[in-house]
């Protein structure tokens, strides 16, 4: 889920016996998102529920649905949804085994987010969001190699702000930051 006021998500699903994974994007209503966010354990739904997030699983004629939140530090990262074809299925197995799976998924997602954040901090300027000198050097070397292999030319445009220190000194660092942005 993203963290904006519009609750968007991606559902990955497959029908039992089918190895291909399908994917669909969906937009959740605020009440749907709040319900998922409040869920702390396995949430049980049936085929009469009209929640949009159940749509991909409802198409397979499932009778009941089990939802388990994937959380990291109380933040909802996702939901494991299981569709069951029969209302009479004993769900104790799922209640025992899916929450630990959700915990492992939370660790994996948190690690992926952390790695992404570290990459961004190492390669992009925090203020402007532009690639930093390290990433520029890497991409420039790649461009030079590509140009050499393709017998093409490449060029660089260099911009410089003269007397930038005086902007910070006279108008303050906030104005200097705005100018850089």
């Amino acid at each position: 889920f993203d963290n904006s006021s519009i609750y968007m998500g991606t559902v990955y699903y497959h029908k039992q016996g089918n190895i291909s994974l399908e994917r669909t994007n969906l937009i959740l209503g605020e009440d749907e998102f709040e319900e998922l966010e409040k869920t702390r354990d396995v949430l049980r739904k049936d085929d009469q529920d009209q929640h949009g997030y159940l749509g991909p699983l409802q198409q397979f004629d499932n009778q009941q649905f089990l939802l388990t939140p994937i959380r990291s530090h109380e933040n909802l990262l996702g939901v494991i949804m299981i569709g069951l074809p029969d209302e009479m299925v004993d769900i104790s197995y799922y209640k025992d085994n899916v929450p630990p799976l959700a915990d492992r998924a939370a660790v994996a997602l948190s690690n992926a987010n952390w790695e992404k954040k570290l990459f961004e901090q190492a390669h992009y300027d925090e203020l402007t969001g532009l690639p930093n000198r390290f990433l520029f050097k890497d991409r420039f070397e790649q461009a030079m190699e590509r140009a050499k292999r393709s017998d093409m030319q490449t060029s660089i445009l260099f911009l410089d702000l003269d007397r930038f220190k005086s902007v910070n000194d006279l108008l303050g660092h906030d104005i200097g930051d705005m100018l850089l942005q």
Side-chain angles (χ1 to χ4, degrees), residues 147-166:
K148 198 182 299 182
R149 281 193 309 270
S150 304
D151 196 30
M152 299 182 77
Q153 296 180 354
T154 189
S155 62
I156 295 176
L157 173 65
F158 180 76
L159 299 175
D160 189 19
L161 294 175
D162 290 335
R163 297 181 294 281
F164 179 72
K165 183 181 180 320
S166 62

Side-chain angles (χ1 to χ4, degrees), residues 4-20:
S4 67
S5 59
I6 297 175
Y7 305 104
M8 297 175 21
T10 303
V11 177
Y12 298 91
Y13 61 95
H14 73 92
K15 189 171 184 175
Q16 187 172 353
N18 186 350
I19 60 171
S20 66

Side-chain angles (χ1 to χ4, degrees), residues 2-143:
D2 71 10
N3 292 340
S4 67
S5 59
I6 297 175
Y7 305 104
M8 297 175 21
T10 303
V11 177
Y12 298 91
Y13 61 95
H14 73 92
K15 189 171 184 175
Q16 187 172 353
N18 186 350
I19 60 171
S20 66
L21 192 62
E22 301 290 328
R23 173 184 140 169
T24 186
N25 294 322
L26 60 101
I27 298 175
L28 300 174
E30 188 171 348
D31 57 328
E32 292 176 318
F33 182 79
E34 286 176 3
E35 178 183 35
L36 294 173
E37 193 167 46
K38 289 178 189 173
T39 301
R40 298 287 178 234
D41 196 11
V42 176
L43 178 65
R44 185 178 184 166
K45 295 284 185 180
D46 63 35
D47 60 348
Q48 301 305 309
D49 285 303
Q50 296 300 312
H51 294 295
Y53 56 78
L54 294 176
L57 296 177
Q58 286 175 325
Q59 69 180 328
F60 300 123
D61 297 324
N62 290 301
Q63 299 293 310
Q64 64 178 326
F65 308 93
L66 303 175
L67 293 86
T68 304
I70 301 172
R71 296 186 176 287
S72 175
H73 306 290
E74 292 303 309
N75 294 321
L76 182 64
L77 302 177
V79 178
I80 296 175
M81 298 189 301
I82 299 173
L84 300 170
D86 187 350
E87 288 183 8
M88 305 310 283
V89 172
D90 178 18
I91 65 168
S92 61
Y93 171 82
Y94 299 100
K95 283 191 168 197
D96 292 341
N97 291 295
V98 176
L101 177 63
D103 291 342
R104 289 193 294 272
V107 170
L109 290 170
S110 292
N111 287 343
N113 287 339
W114 183 248
E115 286 179 17
K116 180 182 176 190
K117 184 175 181 177
L118 288 176
F119 180 86
E120 288 172 357
Q121 287 176 339
H123 295 91
Y124 292 89
D125 178 71
E126 184 179 358
L127 178 65
T128 64
L130 294 171
N132 64 14
R133 186 180 313 220
F134 177 79
L135 187 58
F136 167 76
K137 183 177 183 251
D138 178 65
R139 294 306 192 271
F140 179 69
E141 289 171 359
Q142 289 178 20

